[in-house]
Amino acid sequence: MILSDSIVALSSGRLPAGIAVIRISGPRTRFVVETIAGGMVKERAAAYRKLIATDGSVIDHGVVLFFPGPGSFTGEDVAEFQVHGGRAVAAKMLETIAGFDGVRHAEPGEFTRRAFLNGRLDLVETEALADLVNAETEAQRRFAVRNAEGAQSELYAEWRRRLIHARAMIEAEIDFADEDDVPGSVSDAVWSDVRAMIGEIDRHIDGFRAAEIIRDGFEVVILGAPNAGKSSLFNALAKREAAIVTDEPGTTRDLLEVVLDLEGMRVRVTDTAGLRAAPGKVEAIGIEKARAKAGGADLLLLLEDMASPVDPGAVPSDAPLLRIGTKADLAGGELLVDRAKLYDAVISIRTGTGLSDLLAEVGRRAAASVGDIGDVLPSRLRHVELLKDANDHLRTALAGHERSQELRAEELRLASDRLGRITGAVDVEDMLDVIFSQFCIGK
């Protein structure tokens, strides 16, 4: 797709910085480089040049790179100017470049959108690129890289190829049943493959929860009676005084959250109000929030004061649970030895006893919850919805023994269409603004 205008943006991080990267893409790119850099530079090779404004003044000295289309990120001519990362330098470069006729400032995600429109990326690879830019943990990075390299797209494309082939065989049987080069009956083979594909897609959809944990985090909720040491543990994990700690029961009344990186996994830990039978009106609201949060947790840490245990009542969740004995430094002696058998872990915030072991266990469980990060998983809810829709059409086709082959073939076409919409192989214009608006300007 040839676009008439060119776009420019700062593509590096927040200023000031050591280096600022100004990127331009479009048909005016070569002219801009020739004008600002005092002549054309060698393709795909760094050139150190004096950068000149249109009034003849020197903006800066920097590195210029030129990538001719279609072998560039966007599929168009692309150039990058690497200049000193001061705000004034970057602003002058952007002002100068955007001052050329046919060049304008880019909108969020517009470089990546052009890459999609020019066939350099499909939609799944585009979304994976956004995940890679936003990755905060090693698991997120590995997951995003695998999808950006096309693993997810290849899976959907293979399913779509199988459906197109199945539909072609069914239609060939309908139209040319008496021809010698068309098998007498292909139905058994076609419908056997459709049945297998339904199972493959169902198993793939089941992996979405693991993908959610990788992208959004493994949910850990701290529960326990008032003064069980929940907020003290929370502060120790946050490595700051994030929660108020007092001897007065019921101090914590709202949900507090901290995000940790454990074993390369994003782990969200939530501190909650102490659970007890007769709370005050405001405290009761906090307890209700605690119960609701626990209901969606991936792991619960149920804390109990070993020196002065209080029953918190029924645990409001079916999530896996670790029983944690707290204040081990106060229990001491035979009491500690005797009561330690009741818990999965024993800790003391004051001395640090057991904290590293507890963190290691939480990290291990977080990693185990997603299995092999190398697995191909659906990375977006829209993928899951379209996959379920595709399977509904496949099930309809498979169950329609009494229906004509033409109608069953149409169900295969509709299923193929849904798979195509995931990668953008068929019309998805209504989704593009939503997808690309998630990117930062310059990407």
Side-chain angles (χ1 to χ4, degrees):
M1 176 179 289
I2 300 176
L3 300 172
S4 60
D5 58 349
S6 298
I7 55 175
V8 63
L10 173 68
S11 292
S12 52
R14 181 179 299 176
L15 302 177
I19 296 291
V21 179
I22 311 295
R23 177 186 287 174
I24 178 173
S25 177
R28 298 287 285 170
T29 299
R30 186 181 293 269
F31 176 75
V32 169
V33 171
E34 291 174 342
T35 305
I36 292 180
M40 197 55 201
V41 299
K42 185 178 179 180
E43 296 177 0
R44 304 182 186 282
Y48 182 72
R49 293 291 179 88
K50 181 190 296 185
L51 306 177
I52 309 296
T54 51
D55 61 4
S57 63
V58 177
I59 302 173
D60 195 8
H61 293 76
V63 174
V64 184
L65 292 156
F66 177 73
F67 306 92
S72 68
F73 173 65
T74 64
E76 305 172 320
D77 285 349
V78 172
E80 290 185 355
F81 298 91
Q82 299 179 9
V83 296
H84 292 95
R87 292 189 178 91
V89 175
K92 185 62 177 178
M93 282 293 296
L94 290 169
E95 176 190 339
T96 300
I97 296 173
F100 287 91
D101 289 339
V103 182
R104 61 175 175 79
H105 291 285
E107 297 175 358
E110 194 166 4
F111 286 92
T112 308
R113 183 168 187 154
R114 290 190 176 207
F116 167 72
L117 293 175
N118 289 318
R120 302 292 294 174
L121 299 170
D122 65 27
L123 280 187
V124 172
E125 292 166 338
T126 293
E127 290 165 327
L129 193 58
D131 287 342
L132 188 58
V133 170
N134 294 319
E136 297 176 338
T137 67
E138 177 62 12
Q140 290 173 336
R141 184 196 65 79
R142 290 169 57 194
F143 182 58
V145 165
R146 182 162 171 74
N147 288 336
E149 290 179 339
Q152 200 177 344
S153 298
E154 289 173 9
L155 177 63
Y156 301 152
E158 175 58 25
W159 281 336
R160 191 161 180 256
R161 282 192 292 268
R162 286 162 64 183
L163 286 180
I164 291 172
H165 175 74
R167 182 183 169 205
M169 291 297 98
I170 292 295
E171 292 181 349
E173 186 179 63
I174 294 169
D175 296 336
F176 306 106
D178 55 349
E179 297 291 335
D180 292 339
D181 57 350
V182 176
S185 175
V186 296
S187 293
D188 289 346
V190 166
W191 300 121
S192 176
D193 190 47
V194 168
R195 188 176 295 106
M197 199 179 309
I198 290 172
E200 292 169 20
I201 293 175
D202 277 339
R203 288 189 292 274
H204 181 66
I205 290 171
D206 289 341
F208 181 57
R209 180 55 191 150
E212 281 188 308
I213 291 174
I214 293 172
R215 294 182 69 241
D216 301 329
F218 184 75
E219 289 274 4
V220 178
V221 176
I222 303 174
L223 296 175
N227 279 351
K230 300 183 300 301
S231 294
S232 295
L233 173 60
F234 182 80
N235 287 342
L237 298 179
K239 297 182 179 179
R240 59 188 173 87
E241 294 297 316
I244 298 172
V245 178
T246 72
D247 293 331
E248 179 183 342
T251 303
T252 302
R253 303 201 173 176
D254 209 344
L255 303 179
L256 300 174
E257 183 178 282
V258 64
V259 177
L260 307 176
D261 184 343
L262 301 177
E263 302 293 327
M265 292 288 299
R266 189 172 194 261
V267 177
R268 298 207 310 258
V269 181
T270 303
D271 185 23
T272 63
L275 304 178
R276 59 175 171 173
K281 184 176 181 180
V282 175
E283 190 183 349
I285 297 174
I287 291 175
E288 193 57 38
K289 286 185 178 181
R291 293 181 180 279
K293 188 69 175 178
D298 297 305
L299 177 66
L300 300 178
L301 303 183
L302 183 62
L303 273 56
E304 185 175 272
D305 181 346
M306 296 178 65
S308 182
V310 176
D311 184 8
V315 177
S317 175
D318 294 328
L321 181 146
L322 288 177
R323 295 185 177 276
I324 313 297
T326 65
K327 306 181 184 180
D329 54 301
L330 299 181
E334 295 182 2
L335 177 61
L336 175 60
V337 174
D338 184 55
R339 294 197 60 82
K341 301 173 184 177
L342 303 176
Y343 306 107
D344 298 302
V346 171
I347 64 172
S348 168
I349 304 302
R350 181 174 297 174
T351 65
T353 300
L355 282 179
S356 59
D357 290 340
L358 176 59
L359 282 173
E361 178 62 16
V362 172
R364 187 192 67 77
R365 290 184 178 238
S369 70
V370 301
D372 185 358
I373 297 176
D375 292 342
V376 181
L377 308 173
S379 56
R380 289 289 192 284
L381 181 59
R382 78 171 188 91
H383 303 169
V384 172
E385 291 171 344
L386 288 167
L387 288 165
K388 287 180 177 178
D389 204 5
N391 252 5
D392 287 343
H393 287 296
L394 293 182
R395 288 190 173 93
T396 300
L398 198 62
H401 301 292
E402 299 81 13
R403 304 173 70 194
S404 67
Q405 292 285 63
E406 289 87 346
L407 291 177
R408 299 179 77 185
E410 175 64 9
E411 294 293 342
L412 297 181
R413 185 192 70 79
L414 291 172
S416 173
D417 173 83
R418 298 308 183 270
L419 293 174
R421 286 179 67 84
I422 298 176
T423 60
V426 297
D427 180 43
V428 288
E429 188 64 31
D430 55 329
M431 293 189 295
L432 296 187
D433 288 341
V434 174
I435 290 173
F436 291 107
S437 66
Q438 300 172 24
F439 283 81
C440 59
I441 292 174
K443 191 61 180 175

